[in-house]
Amino acid sequence: MPTTSKYDKEYDNNFLFIVEKIFLHIGSRLVFLWKFSAMSKQDDFFKHITEGNTNKGEYLTLGSAMLDGQTIEKAFVNVPLKTMNRHGLIAGATGTGKTKTLQVLAENLSEKGVPVLLMDIKGDLSGLAQPSPGHPKIDERHAAIGLPFEPKAFPVEILTLSEQDGVRLRATVSEFGPVLISRILDVTETQAGIISVIFKYCDDNKLPLLDLKDFKKILQYATGEGKKEFQEAYGRISTASTGAILRKIIEIEQQGGELFFGEKSFEVDDLLRIDKNGRGYINIIRLTDIQDKPKLFSTFMLSLLAEIYSTFPEQGDTGRPELIMFIDEAHLIFNQASKALLNQIESIVKLIRSKGVGLYFVTQNPTDVPEAVLSQLGLKVQHALRAFTAKDRKAIKLTAQNYPDTDYYDTADVLTSLGTGEALVSALNEKGRPTPLAATMMRAPMSRMDILTDSELKNLLSESNLVKKYNEEIDRESAYEMLNKKIELAEAEEAKEKARQEQEALKKAETKRKSSTRKSTRMNPIVKVLTSATFIRSVFGILTKVMKK
């Protein structure tokens, strides 16, 4: 058996030492190259984000971009104020931070002097009126973002459609007009024609259509007491058609429509108020009690959008929006809306931008919003989506295709891996081009992330000028009262005419009776001659002469 010499052992040790050194050197070089590559990628990403989010005019900062799960400090994701009227979408699964994103946007818009209107379906946005109490996690988040955190309260107005505390929102039936009312009621073409005739009759006869009570009364009158009048002026109106329309009105009534229709009508200009510090008012509509009343919600939204569109002047390119509206739980509008109603909403979404108004839909899944509306949205803030079923995975794949291509993310993978308070953000820059897609660590709200207490809400409402203006109920004389009066007068006239006719009939009967009596007591001419005094004297004279002879 060969023996290993001392020389051979030393040779082996040296060889192993050299190999070890080589591997250590290669490893260190690989680590260096990897770190250099990572740093280079991060630097490139930082440059890509900052250049794509640089603006000449005013902008809102939503947070800082993330790469490979790490927040890149001061890689700010900005949205130009100029393009905020291009509409937007905030989407994501439950608990991913949609409401806080809405809150952040509302706060920043208010600070820039832009009024905001929020639909508060869940009842958790009133805290905007109080400053945030702060929290170590908020400080940690903002340190990672590279943005200082400053707690603030904002000017808030609480509005309501129901009997909840707040500024009452109302509108009259006349303000809707026949076309809008027909679309809301989802009536047939024939029934829509009848509604137009009803409005025409009310205009011609100066009958105010204020509430649903008025509307129902005129429909009943058209086929009842006023049937002849309507038929002569407008043609025959079918009782079956008015009955179908009445049933549609009752459906809205059952969802609380009688509270919405009436006076005093809310003036949309009151949504545009600015406080003494130059901050826009955040108008919060409390809708917690109408989640199960989609018809009423759709009716209100459509009337509001139509009123804004018809009232606001054309704005042109002023560099800032006039009003931003956030519609939480947007599927409540779209899921149960008729085709005619959807077409009306889509038309207004396309046109209202020119009035300086931006609409932002907040929902769990982007597919809740019709494609025709989705294609009009400029800002997209997509929080995490969860894939529990094959349908969910398909929806995520489709959602990923709605975002700009990027070399830094696999969009579909990122959508399912985002944490709470993180979102994919894509906006339009000042020239209307998409900004770089960025997985974003969203900043925290400056206001309280909770509701107001009862005493805080009471104090807020007691200081509101709009509560004093709109919470007085007015029930002036309108179509209902005027038609009732008209019917009463007609009935009184009819009764009077009937009494006159009866009296005339009695007079005729009395005249006839008297005439009959006169005829029955008239003496026969022969008898009259025979019984007359002259005749009798003559007879007696003749008899006397005869007897003397």
Side-chain angles (χ1 to χ4, degrees), residues 30-42:
L30 287 172
V31 169
F32 172 78
L33 289 171
W34 178 80
K35 286 183 178 180
F36 179 79
S37 174
M39 288 178 65
S40 177
K41 182 182 178 182
Q42 195 175 99

Side-chain angles (χ1 to χ4, degrees), residues 365 367 387 389-401:
N365 200 306
T367 56
T389 65
K391 186 179 178 181
D392 292 338
R393 286 191 288 274
K394 186 178 179 181
I396 288 170
K397 194 175 291 185
L398 289 172
T399 300
Q401 293 172 6

Side-chain angles (χ1 to χ4, degrees), residues 58 77 94 103 339 403 418 425 484 492:
E58 293 182 285
V77 176
T94 301
Q103 199 169 335
K339 188 176 180 181
Y403 290 89
L418 291 167
V425 178
N484 274 337

Side-chain angles (χ1 to χ4, degrees), residues 345-417:
I345 293 171
E346 288 168 12
S347 297
I348 290 176
V349 168
K350 291 174 183 176
L351 298 172
I352 206 169
R353 182 179 65 83
S354 64
K355 306 285 186 172
V357 179
L359 298 176
Y360 286 76
F361 300 97
V362 185
T363 189
Q364 292 192 13
N365 200 306
T367 56
D368 293 336
V369 180
E371 286 188 14
V373 174
L374 203 60
S375 64
Q376 301 292 320
L377 309 182
L379 173 63
K380 295 185 180 74
V381 181
Q382 179 64 63
H383 288 271
L385 292 173
R386 305 294 180 231
F388 296 111
T389 65
K391 186 179 178 181
D392 292 338
R393 286 191 288 274
K394 186 178 179 181
I396 288 170
K397 194 175 291 185
L398 289 172
T399 300
Q401 293 172 6
N402 291 327
Y403 290 89
D405 293 332
T406 175
D407 296 330
Y408 296 96
Y409 305 114
D410 182 328
T411 307
D413 285 344
V414 172
L415 282 173
T416 57
S417 61

Side-chain angles (χ1 to χ4, degrees), residues 99-100 102-103 107 118-131 152-159 165 282-288 447-454 456-458 460-461:
T99 303
K100 304 314 168 203
L102 185 160
Q103 199 169 335
E107 292 172 347
L118 305 179
M119 312 293 161
D120 189 7
I121 297 288
K122 298 187 289 291
D124 51 4
L125 290 171
S126 60
L128 279 156
Q130 292 292 327
K152 290 181 183 178
F154 293 86
V156 167
E157 195 72 65
I158 303 293
L159 315 176
D165 292 332
I282 299 175
N283 304 282
I284 302 173
I285 304 180
R286 303 175 73 188
L287 299 171
T288 52
S447 57
R448 184 194 293 173
M449 291 187 278
D450 199 356
I451 62 171
L452 296 178
T453 63
D454 290 342
E456 288 171 339
L457 179 60
K458 187 176 179 181
L460 182 66
L461 294 174

Side-chain angles (χ1 to χ4, degrees), residues 323-336:
L323 175 71
I324 299 296
M325 298 172 60
F326 292 90
I327 304 170
D328 199 5
E329 304 296 337
H331 62 275
L332 289 178
I333 293 182
F334 298 114
N335 284 3
Q336 297 193 31

Side-chain angles (χ1 to χ4, degrees), residues 66-234:
M66 302 170 67
L67 181 65
D68 299 326
Q70 179 185 353
T71 305
I72 309 301
E73 187 179 353
K74 295 187 178 181
F76 297 135
V77 176
N78 302 320
V79 181
L81 196 61
K82 181 180 179 179
T83 62
M84 284 297 290
N85 66 334
R86 300 292 183 90
H87 312 314
L89 173 74
I90 302 171
T94 301
T96 55
K98 299 188 300 295
T99 303
K100 304 314 168 203
T101 295
L102 185 160
Q103 199 169 335
V104 165
L105 282 167
E107 292 172 347
N108 281 271
L109 285 163
S110 176
E111 276 207 310
K112 299 294 182 183
V114 178
V116 176
L117 179 64
L118 305 179
M119 312 293 161
D120 189 7
I121 297 288
K122 298 187 289 291
D124 51 4
L125 290 171
S126 60
L128 279 156
Q130 292 292 327
S132 168
H135 194 277
K137 287 188 176 180
I138 293 177
D139 297 333
E140 183 183 334
R141 176 179 288 264
H142 275 255
I145 292 171
L147 194 67
F149 178 73
E150 183 182 357
K152 290 181 183 178
F154 293 86
V156 167
E157 195 72 65
I158 303 293
L159 315 176
T160 179
L161 278 175
S162 64
E163 294 178 326
Q164 287 185 318
D165 292 332
V167 179
R168 289 289 298 275
L169 295 176
R170 296 188 188 92
T172 65
V173 174
S174 294
E175 287 169 339
F176 273 72
V179 175
L180 205 54
I181 281 285
S182 297
R183 287 177 177 171
I184 288 165
L185 296 178
D186 191 24
V187 295
T188 65
E189 191 174 338
T190 301
Q191 292 161 2
I194 290 172
I195 290 173
S196 295
V197 166
I198 294 293
F199 272 76
K200 179 73 168 63
Y201 175 84
C202 290
D203 288 342
D204 292 345
N205 292 274
K206 295 181 172 54
L207 295 175
L209 275 176
L210 304 181
D211 51 28
L212 295 179
K213 183 175 61 175
D214 295 331
F215 198 16
K216 288 195 297 181
K217 188 66 182 179
I218 187 66
L219 281 167
Q220 291 163 347
Y221 179 78
T223 52
E225 297 86 351
K227 183 177 181 179
K228 186 178 178 182
E229 183 185 356
F230 266 86
Q231 193 164 333
E232 288 174 356
Y234 310 104

